[in-house]
Amino acid sequence: MYNYLKMGKNTTMRKSNIVSIIIPIIIIAGLGTLFSQIGMRWFEGLNKPTEWIPSIVIPIIWTVIYVLFAWILIKWQNRTPISKENIVLLVINGVLNVLWCLVFFTLQQLFLGNVVIIINALFALRLYFEICKEDAMNGLIISLYPVWVCIATTLNIALWILN
């Protein structure tokens, strides 16, 4: 994947290069959804704070986040190569997103889920700041991601406290 993302300004983005950006995003989103669905019955039975986000909002926000990531990565690659550090941060964030879904929903581990999501929030903020350094507009576009992970972290901690 790195070779595809390494293309410079003067290289035209081919379909295969776009696919190399889209496929990992679809895999991450798909695995997160699968792991979440496995534990949904358990999750519905948890005590939740009185101020809770409606269930329909969560998949909508994640869909928007993944579409925004695909869009900025494609847009970014058309102008300049993505740094190796940002590629690593993107991979780490994707792995942490999937890992949290696995630990929290599938394994039903509230405390360990908190550990994973706190680490995810820290890496989401780091990724956001690194993206801002390379392209402020892309940072603005993707700012929903660290904000959402931080909101999810507070909700996760609330679930742990209440259950």
Side-chain angles (χ1 to χ4, degrees):
M1 183 167 120
Y2 180 71
N3 287 336
Y4 289 121
L5 296 175
K6 217 168 104 173
M7 297 177 345
K9 280 185 203 181
N10 300 328
T11 306
T12 305
M13 185 72 117
R14 294 185 306 254
K15 280 185 184 181
S16 64
N17 298 37
I18 293 171
V19 169
S20 72
I21 290 171
I22 302 296
I23 295 296
I25 291 172
I26 290 171
I27 291 169
I28 290 166
L31 285 172
T33 300
L34 173 68
F35 293 142
S36 298
Q37 291 304 312
I38 290 171
M40 196 50 67
R41 177 179 268 179
W42 165 79
F43 174 75
E44 293 299 330
L46 292 175
N47 294 321
K48 295 175 186 70
T50 53
E51 298 297 321
W52 192 258
I53 295 171
S55 296
I56 189 68
V57 172
I58 296 169
I60 292 170
I61 290 177
W62 275 113
T63 300
V64 169
I65 288 169
Y66 287 127
V67 167
L68 289 175
F69 264 115
W71 184 55
I72 69 162
L73 288 172
I74 291 166
K75 180 172 115 13
W76 197 353
Q77 262 327 116
N78 281 326
R79 292 197 344 241
T80 183
I82 299 171
S83 71
K84 212 176 217 179
E85 181 180 7
N86 281 340
I87 292 171
V88 169
L89 285 170
L90 285 161
V91 169
I92 289 171
N93 275 273
V95 168
L96 287 169
N97 285 332
V98 172
L99 182 61
W100 177 79
C101 294
L102 172 68
V103 168
F104 183 82
F105 284 103
T106 304
L107 302 178
Q108 302 173 3
Q109 297 295 312
L110 291 171
F111 177 76
L112 191 53
N114 277 309
V115 172
V116 172
I117 202 166
I118 289 168
I119 294 168
N120 193 177
L122 294 171
F123 273 98
L125 288 167
R126 173 78 189 275
L127 176 63
Y128 166 73
F129 289 122
E130 290 302 320
I131 288 173
C132 284
K133 281 185 201 175
E134 290 191 26
D135 188 319
M137 183 55 75
N138 282 343
L140 180 62
I141 291 167
I142 206 59
S143 63
L144 175 62
Y145 174 63
V147 168
W148 178 249
V149 174
C150 288
I151 290 169
T153 302
T154 61
L155 294 173
N156 212 70
I157 292 168
L159 288 173
W160 178 59
I161 292 167
L162 292 173
N163 293 279

